[in-house]
Amino acid sequence: MNDWQEVVLDEVSSKIGDGLHGTPTYDDQGLYSFINGNNLLNGRIVIKPETKKISESEYLKIMKPLNESTILISINGTIGNVAKYYGEPCALGKSACYINLDTTRVQRDFFYYECLSENFQSHLENVATGTTIPNVPLKGIRAYKFNLPSLPEQKAIASVLSSLDD
């Protein structure tokens, strides 16, 4: 661990944001799911029967720049659920935060496991505000500090953890 570098999440991400603050126009025939933090389970986006749908035109108004480097985290109400984005047709509500990683510095699978760590989860609890409904401000996410090994080491660590999950 001697060559691991302490980094701040904001320095190793290209974009950190959250979803729509407000309510989109729902459309039962819509092709896009409007997801929140409670749709992020066990590393995946889970579309539940009660998950609302929106049309493509509504999606285009509120879409966020999600891609293969994106990690999603629940930041309002239920905090700390984590998922990797796999191109699902969805739009984010305000309780879902997206982190687009700088993949020249951080491997997504490695950071996914970092998000599940006690260190990250307790950071979320510590920066959360609100007594009735906890809310993690984006500045709190951006300020998260963690130790980052080299990319080959990140891949190796993520590979071991991933095989343990399987």
Side-chain angles (χ1 to χ4, degrees):
M1 243 175 70
N2 51 1
D3 59 343
W4 290 30
Q5 180 187 5
E6 186 178 72
V7 295
V8 174
L9 183 54
D10 204 33
E11 296 168 358
V12 294
S13 311
S14 56
K15 184 113 174 91
I16 297 175
D18 59 2
L20 177 70
H21 289 248
T23 307
T25 305
Y26 297 123
D27 177 352
D28 292 339
Q29 306 309 307
L31 301 175
Y32 294 85
S33 298
F34 185 68
I35 65 161
N36 273 298
N38 61 5
N39 293 100
L40 311 178
L41 295 167
N42 303 320
R44 309 260 350 176
I45 294 172
V46 177
I47 306 306
K48 302 174 178 181
E50 67 274 15
T51 301
K52 301 263 198 261
K53 302 275 188 205
I54 59 172
S55 67
E56 183 170 18
S57 62
E58 189 71 7
Y59 166 76
L60 292 171
K61 286 190 264 179
I62 66 172
M63 65 188 257
K64 300 295 178 182
L66 309 181
N67 59 47
E68 64 287 337
S69 78
T70 303
I71 291 277
L72 299 165
I73 299 169
S74 60
I75 58 167
N76 182 274
T78 303
I79 61 172
N81 289 355
V82 185
K84 296 180 225 177
Y85 178 72
Y86 290 104
E88 295 89 343
C90 65
L92 307 180
K94 71 171 182 182
S95 70
C97 161
Y98 66 95
I99 300 167
N100 290 348
L101 298 165
D102 171 354
T103 52
T104 65
R105 301 188 62 193
V106 186
Q107 207 248 354
R108 180 172 81 164
D109 290 343
F110 174 83
F111 187 69
Y112 167 75
Y113 287 107
E114 179 66 32
C115 290
L116 297 178
S117 74
E118 180 64 41
N119 194 33
F120 183 79
Q121 293 289 326
S122 64
H123 173 77
L124 292 183
E125 287 172 29
N126 291 334
V127 298
T129 59
T131 47
T132 321
I133 298 173
N135 180 59
V136 177
L138 292 176
K139 71 178 201 294
I141 302 263
R142 291 186 179 106
Y144 177 65
K145 286 186 179 149
F146 63 106
N147 292 314
L148 195 60
S150 67
L151 277 172
E153 247 183 299
Q154 290 177 48
K155 283 192 174 86
I157 291 167
S159 173
V160 168
L161 293 171
S162 165
S163 61
L164 289 172
D165 277 352
D166 295 343

